Amino acid sequence: MAVKLPPIEKIHEAYSAIADKRIEMKEEEAEVSSSDLSKKYLVTWKNDTYSSNDNASYWQGYLGYPIIAVLMLQNKLSLDKQIADYFKAIPWKKLNTQYKNNFSEAVKYIMEDFKTKEIDCDKINAEINKVYQEIGQLTIKLKRSSIRPPK
């Protein structure tokens, strides 16, 4: 059974976590720091069952960016490191607050900035859509974490 699809914008946030090296991988868990480093999320897995105490995974029941980033680093989802590098140092917490968690507006703002820097947004969008399709094909299970999200 496929997992509940997240908002596609969570892939952009996963790229940032990877580009900013905010993920500490261990044997059956990873610690993922938020973009402003104020929170740390714990992603755990055993076989093909994943859990995370980020808000999306815990409250909404879809893969949040911490799990998506871990799956990319485990080669279970595609990872284009060049595209990930474009997302270095993006202040997601600030943007998501500014846009009242309207993730598509936050991404639109970032992509407009990329266009001014002549970054190939079509290539980025094609890769994001490819990863989104791969998420839909995953055969993993998402289990609610026993640890509540950090406040």
Side-chain angles (χ1 to χ4, degrees), residues 91-123:
W92 288 105
K93 176 79 171 132
K94 180 180 169 200
L95 289 171
N96 287 336
T97 299
Q98 179 181 336
Y99 289 104
K100 297 177 175 54
N101 288 334
N102 183 333
F103 308 125
S104 62
E105 285 299 312
V107 167
K108 186 175 160 188
Y109 170 83
I110 291 162
M111 297 302 269
E112 289 298 324
D113 183 53
F114 285 177
K115 286 178 188 168
T116 67
K117 297 174 182 169
E118 298 185 15
I119 293 171
D120 187 349
C121 292
D122 289 337
K123 181 180 176 188

Side-chain angles (χ1 to χ4, degrees), residues 10-23:
K10 294 297 168 186
I11 298 167
H12 303 78
E13 289 188 54
Y15 280 144
S16 286
I18 291 167
D20 294 339
K21 297 180 176 28
R22 293 187 276 114
I23 305 162

Side-chain angles (χ1 to χ4, degrees), residues 20 22 33-41 65 90-94 97:
D20 294 339
R22 293 187 276 114
S33 298
S34 61
S35 62
D36 64 358
L37 306 178
S38 68
K39 296 178 183 173
K40 288 191 186 286
Y41 303 110
Y65 79 87
I90 304 258
W92 288 105
K93 176 79 171 132
K94 180 180 169 200
T97 299

Side-chain angles (χ1 to χ4, degrees), residues 74-89:
Q74 292 176 328
N75 296 316
K76 293 186 178 189
L77 292 173
S78 295
L79 170 58
D80 184 318
K81 291 201 177 189
Q82 179 187 10
I83 287 175
D85 281 345
Y86 293 136
F87 290 91
K88 262 187 184 151

Side-chain angles (χ1 to χ4, degrees), residues 24-60:
E24 185 183 331
M25 297 289 287
K26 297 177 184 165
E27 196 167 317
E28 287 187 337
E29 67 181 41
E31 197 172 84
V32 182
S33 298
S34 61
S35 62
D36 64 358
L37 306 178
S38 68
K39 296 178 183 173
K40 288 191 186 286
Y41 303 110
L42 183 66
V43 177
T44 60
W45 60 89
K46 189 158 184 94
N47 302 320
D48 281 334
T49 301
Y50 286 73
S51 69
S52 174
N53 66 333
D54 66 279
N55 287 323
S57 301
Y58 189 88
W59 297 111
Q60 306 299 322

